[in-house]
Amino acid sequence: MRATLLYEAGDVRVEDVPDPQIQHPTDAVLRIVRSCICGSDLWPYKSQTYTDTPRHMGHEFLGVIEELGSDVREFTVGDVVVVPFVYSDNTCTYCRDGLQTSCTHGGTWGVNGVDGGQGQYARVPQAQGTMVKLPVDEHSEFLPDLLTLSDVLCTGYHAAHTAGVRKGDTVTVIGDGAVGLSAVLSAKLLGAERIILMGRHRRRTDLGVEFGATDVVAERGEDGVARVRELTGGEGTRTVLECVGLEAALTQSAGVVRDGGTISRVGAPQYPAIPFAFPEFMRNITLTGGVAPARAYIEELMPHILDGTIRPGRVFDRTIALEDVASGYQAMDDRLALKVLIAD
Amino acid sequence: MRATLLYEAGDVRVEDVPDPQIQHPTDAVLRIVRSCICGSDLWPYKSQTYTDTPRHMGHEFLGVIEELGSDVREFTVGDVVVVPFVYSDNTCTYCRDGLQTSCTHGGTWGVNGVDGGQGQYARVPQAQGTMVKLPVDEHSEFLPDLLTLSDVLCTGYHAAHTAGVRKGDTVTVIGDGAVGLSAVLSAKLLGAERIILMGRHRRRTDLGVEFGATDVVAERGEDGVARVRELTGGEGTRTVLECVGLEAALTQSAGVVRDGGTISRVGAPQYPAIPFAFPEFMRNITLTGGVAPARAYIEELMPHILDGTIRPGRVFDRTIALEDVASGYQAMDDRLALKVLIAD
C-alpha cells in the first residue's frame, strides 16, 4: 500500500510499504477513506533530523473495516468507523475513567510497527476498544465533520470540558488554529455566553466567529491581555482554553484568567516548564488539561454533528489526494491552509 | 504596646511600637489573646537582609475586641474573634466566590501600616468582613484549636478541598509540617479512606497517624515515589496535597499522582517555575491550589472543633510568652518545635 513517511524536516513522501495484516486477534484492518494533517504533525515536519527508518505519519482517520481479528465483536466487515488519535482497549481502569490516553494496552499510531493514518490502509490494535461505528456510508457528506472526532474536535472539547466551562460562562480561547476553533465550538456547545477568541489570522477568526466567538482579540502579549481585561471589567475570564502550546501562550493565559480561575492547556507543550510560580499561587490559578482522550468524547459529540448542530469539518479548507500529501504539509506550514483533508 | 519585629535573618525582637488606633470606620482594635509562628515566617527569618524599618511579624491570631469603628456591625466590644491570615471585606465579587485572598479591599498583616499578629494588640482593617466571632470566652481550652482557623487548618483544608478529595479516596500528603498534618486532618474530614503521609520526622508523622494517616512513607524522591506506587497497585493516588513549597516536592507530587489526577499545592512556592511540561501533559495532571482563602472555610470548620471531632491545635508542641518570641523562631528553625503558640 501507499503511506506517508517523514525522512527529515521538510521531506515527507508517499511510498510503498507492506500491506497491513491482522497480527493479533484484537486487531482490525481498515481501508482509510478520510484522513488529515494535524498541527502536531508540523512539529516533526519542521524539526526531524534525517533518518533511514522514516516515521509513519498521520493519526486522524476514518475508514471501512476490511478484516477483523477473532476477538473483535460488535463490528462487521464493511462498517464505517472512526478511530481516535491513540488506540486503547477501552476496558482498563484508566479507560473506564475516560482517560484512554493512559490506557494500559494503548499506544500511538505510526510507531512500534503500528501504521500511521495518512495511508491507504491501517491495522488497528485493540480494535474493539478503539473503533467507533459511524452510522453513515463512506460517501456521506458528514465525513469531514466525523473525521474531526478523531482528534481536533475532541481536543478542543477536552479543553472546554476540563476547564469546566458551563452555561453562561465567559471564556477566553487562545489560538486560532483548528484546535482553537474547535475549542470555540465546544465552549459554545457547553453553553458559554461570551467567547473571546485571541488570534490574529482574520480568515481563521472569521470562522471562529461563525463557530460562536463573540469577541476577537488580535493583539498578543501584554496588549492582548489588556484588551481582554478591558472586555471583562478588569477581571479576566474564569476559564481560559490554551490551544497553542508555547510558553508565551501560557503567560498570556495567566494574564487573562480571573483570580481563582482555570487554564486548560491542550496545545502540545513546546516549553520545558510552566512559568507559574508565586503570583499564580497567590491568585489561585488552576492548570488542567493535557492530551485529549478523544475516545471518551466521540459518542457524546457525534449526535451534534449528525443533527447538524455543529459543522466542525469546516476547519478543513483544503482537500488533497494522498499522493499530494507533501503539498498539504507545505501549505499548512506556510499557513496557506488551516487544516488539510486527505481524500482520494 | 509590644510587638514582634524582624530586622534581619535571625534577628527577631519584641519592641515597643505605637498602640493601634481606629483609623477608618471599618477598623476594629483587638487585644490579642493567642497568636503563633507560621512556617512561612521562617522564610524571611532565614533570608531577610538588614533593615532599619523592621517588618512587623505574625498573621495568625485571635483576640478580644477592644474598640469598633462606626461601620462595623454585628460585633460588640468584648467579643472573642479569630481573623484569617489576610483581611478582606467579604463582600466583593471575589469574596462572594470564596476567594477572599483576592479581595479588592483586602491585604496582608504587618505591612502598609497594618499591625502584625505577634503583638499585644492589632488594628483590624475591614473588620466586619475579616473577623469571625468565636462562641467561647478568652479562657476556653479550645483556643489553640480555634487559632488554627486563622491559617494552618484552613490551608490544609484548602489543599484537600481544591484537590477534590471525596469519600473513599486515596490521598497522598507531601510534607509533615503543621500544614501537611492539617491536610491529613482535612482529607480525613472529607472522607478519604486511605491517607499516605510522606514525611521523615517520626514525631510529626506519629501525630499525622493520630490525625488520620493510614500509611507513612519516610523515603523521599524516587524511593518515596516507588514506595507510594507500591502501596497503590502501581498507579499512584488520584489526589496529592503538596504542603512543602519546594520544587522537589512538586516533582515528588508528579511521581505519586495517578494519571488524570490532581495535585493541589499550598506550600508557598520557593521555585521559579513548575517542572511539569510534556510528560505531565501526556498524563493529564491537574495542578490546583494556591494561597488559602482561610476566611471562606472558618464557619464550615469551626463546628468540627467545638464538637471535638478534630483537635488541630495539637500541632502546637511548644507554648511561649510574647517576650520570648525569638526563642520560638529559633526552635522552629532548628526543627525542635513543630509549631509554636504564643500566649501570655
Side-chain angles (χ1 to χ4, degrees):
Chain A
M1 69 158 175
R2 304 286 286 169
T4 302
L5 303 176
L6 178 67
Y7 281 84
E8 70 180 314
D11 181 8
V12 70
R13 310 177 200 168
V14 177
E15 294 190 342
D16 288 325
V17 303
D19 287 338
Q21 312 281 344
I22 298 285
Q23 294 179 16
H24 307 284
T26 46
D27 288 346
V29 172
L30 295 191
R31 173 170 53 84
I32 296 174
V33 175
R34 293 288 184 281
S35 66
C36 57
I37 303 174
C38 183
S40 70
D41 290 330
L42 296 182
W43 297 116
Y45 179 73
K46 287 195 274 208
S47 64
Q48 186 158 311
T49 51
Y50 179 79
T51 170
D52 50 15
T53 54
R55 181 163 168 168
H56 290 239
M57 300 298 289
H59 54 259
E60 301 165 271
F61 56 105
L62 56 78
V64 176
I65 298 175
E66 289 274 313
E67 203 181 343
L68 286 167
S70 55
D71 283 357
V72 189
R73 309 188 190 281
E74 298 168 33
F75 292 92
T76 309
V77 167
D79 281 350
V80 179
V81 298
V82 66
V83 299
F85 69 95
V86 295
Y87 57 86
S88 58
D89 64 20
N90 218 25
T91 57
C92 76
T93 57
Y94 291 108
C95 286
R96 287 200 307 269
D97 286 351
L99 198 68
Q100 286 86 345
T101 42
S102 290
C103 175
T104 48
H105 299 109
T108 303
W109 303 105
V111 294
N112 303 322
V114 177
D115 301 299
Q118 293 159 4
Q120 292 182 301
Y121 296 89
R123 178 174 67 89
V124 178
Q126 300 295 339
Q128 175 77 39
T130 303
M131 304 188 302
V132 180
K133 189 167 155 48
L134 298 172
V136 298
D137 69 32
E138 65 173 294
H139 308 291
S140 166
E141 61 171 331
F142 286 117
L143 291 192
D145 301 300
L146 293 166
L147 177 60
T148 67
L149 293 169
S150 187
D151 180 344
V152 62
L153 175 60
C154 293
T155 295
Y157 190 76
H158 187 55
H161 173 75
T162 54
V165 171
R166 58 195 183 203
K167 204 166 154 53
D169 255 345
T170 299
V171 181
T172 304
V173 175
I174 297 185
D176 58 9
V179 172
L181 299 182
S182 299
V184 169
L185 207 59
S186 301
K188 172 91 175 167
L189 209 53
L190 290 170
E193 206 158 84
R194 191 167 188 193
I195 301 169
I196 302 170
L197 174 59
M198 302 190 79
R200 59 190 179 129
H201 302 93
R202 182 62 189 272
R203 209 158 44 88
R204 299 177 177 198
T205 58
D206 281 352
L207 182 55
V209 170
E210 292 184 51
F211 275 3
T214 53
D215 301 83
V216 171
V217 172
E219 297 92 334
R220 306 167 90 177
E222 284 179 24
D223 291 344
V225 168
R227 182 75 188 117
V228 172
R229 293 206 162 251
E230 196 182 303
L231 289 170
T232 54
E235 291 192 353
T237 63
R238 201 183 65 80
T239 53
V240 177
L241 315 185
E242 189 282 290
C243 303
V244 177
L246 296 173
E247 185 170 320
L250 279 182
T251 304
Q252 195 163 305
S253 299
V256 300
V257 72
R258 186 177 188 266
D259 283 16
T262 300
I263 298 165
S264 182
R265 57 169 178 161
V266 294
Q270 308 301 312
Y271 43 80
I274 296 157
F276 294 175
F278 202 76
E280 291 76 17
F281 175 87
M282 295 305 289
R283 294 176 57 214
N284 273 280
I285 306 306
T286 293
L287 180 72
T288 188
V291 65
R295 183 65 187 81
Y297 303 125
I298 293 179
E299 286 94 339
E300 180 181 347
L301 293 171
M302 196 193 304
H304 299 293
I305 292 173
L306 296 174
D307 73 9
T309 306
I310 56 172
R311 296 299 310 263
R314 296 185 63 199
V315 295
F316 296 113
D317 57 352
R318 183 170 301 200
T319 302
I320 59 169
L322 177 60
E323 293 297 326
D324 300 326
V325 76
S327 74
Y329 275 81
Q330 190 66 57
M332 277 179 64
D333 195 32
D334 292 344
R335 293 183 178 275
L336 297 174
L338 170 55
K339 191 167 176 76
V340 171
L341 183 70
I342 304 170
D344 280 297
Chain B
M1 69 157 175
R2 305 285 287 170
T4 302
L5 303 176
L6 177 67
Y7 281 84
E8 69 180 315
D11 182 8
V12 68
R13 310 177 200 169
V14 177
E15 294 191 341
D16 288 326
V17 302
D19 287 338
Q21 311 281 343
I22 298 286
Q23 294 179 17
H24 307 285
T26 47
D27 287 345
V29 171
L30 295 193
R31 173 170 53 83
I32 296 174
V33 175
R34 293 287 184 281
S35 66
C36 57
I37 303 173
C38 183
S40 71
D41 290 331
L42 297 182
W43 297 115
Y45 179 73
K46 287 195 273 208
S47 64
Q48 186 159 310
T49 51
Y50 180 80
T51 169
D52 51 14
T53 56
R55 183 164 167 169
H56 290 239
M57 300 299 288
H59 53 259
E60 301 165 90
F61 56 105
L62 56 77
V64 176
I65 298 175
E66 289 273 313
E67 204 181 342
L68 286 167
S70 55
D71 283 357
V72 189
R73 308 186 192 284
E74 300 169 33
F75 292 92
T76 309
V77 168
D79 282 349
V80 179
V81 298
V82 66
V83 300
F85 69 94
V86 296
Y87 57 86
S88 58
D89 64 20
N90 217 24
T91 57
C92 77
T93 57
Y94 291 108
C95 286
R96 288 200 307 269
D97 285 351
L99 198 69
Q100 286 86 346
T101 42
S102 291
C103 174
T104 49
H105 298 110
T108 302
W109 303 105
V111 293
N112 303 322
V114 177
D115 301 299
Q118 293 160 2
Q120 291 182 302
Y121 296 89
R123 178 173 68 88
V124 178
Q126 301 295 338
Q128 175 77 39
T130 303
M131 303 188 303
V132 180
K133 189 168 156 46
L134 298 173
V136 296
D137 70 32
E138 66 172 292
H139 308 290
S140 166
E141 60 170 333
F142 287 117
L143 291 193
D145 301 299
L146 294 166
L147 177 60
T148 67
L149 293 169
S150 187
D151 181 344
V152 63
L153 175 61
C154 293
T155 295
Y157 191 76
H158 188 56
H161 173 75
T162 54
V165 172
R166 59 195 182 203
K167 204 166 156 51
D169 256 345
T170 299
V171 181
T172 304
V173 175
I174 297 185
D176 58 10
V179 172
L181 299 182
S182 299
V184 169
L185 207 60
S186 301
K188 171 92 175 167
L189 210 52
L190 289 170
E193 205 158 85
R194 189 166 188 191
I195 302 170
I196 302 170
L197 174 59
M198 302 190 79
R200 58 189 180 130
H201 302 92
R202 182 62 190 272
R203 209 159 44 89
R204 298 176 178 199
T205 58
D206 281 352
L207 182 55
V209 170
E210 292 185 50
F211 276 3
T214 53
D215 302 83
V216 172
V217 172
E219 297 91 334
R220 307 167 90 177
E222 284 178 24
D223 291 344
V225 168
R227 181 77 188 115
V228 172
R229 293 206 162 251
E230 196 182 303
L231 288 170
T232 54
E235 292 192 352
T237 63
R238 201 183 64 80
T239 53
V240 177
L241 316 184
E242 189 282 291
C243 303
V244 176
L246 296 173
E247 186 171 319
L250 279 182
T251 304
Q252 194 163 306
S253 299
V256 300
V257 74
R258 186 176 187 268
D259 283 16
T262 299
I263 298 164
S264 182
R265 56 169 178 161
V266 294
Q270 309 300 312
Y271 43 80
I274 297 158
F276 295 174
F278 203 75
E280 291 75 17
F281 175 86
M282 295 305 289
R283 295 177 55 213
N284 272 280
I285 306 306
T286 293
L287 180 72
T288 187
V291 64
R295 183 66 187 81
Y297 303 126
I298 293 179
E299 286 94 339
E300 181 181 346
L301 292 172
M302 196 193 303
H304 299 293
I305 292 174
L306 296 174
D307 73 9
T309 307
I310 57 172
R311 295 300 309 264
R314 296 185 62 200
V315 295
F316 297 113
D317 57 352
R318 184 170 299 202
T319 303
I320 58 169
L322 176 60
E323 292 298 325
D324 300 326
V325 76
S327 74
Y329 275 81
Q330 190 66 57
M332 278 179 64
D333 196 31
D334 292 344
R335 292 182 179 274
L336 297 174
L338 170 56
K339 192 167 176 76
V340 171
L341 183 70
I342 304 171
D344 280 297

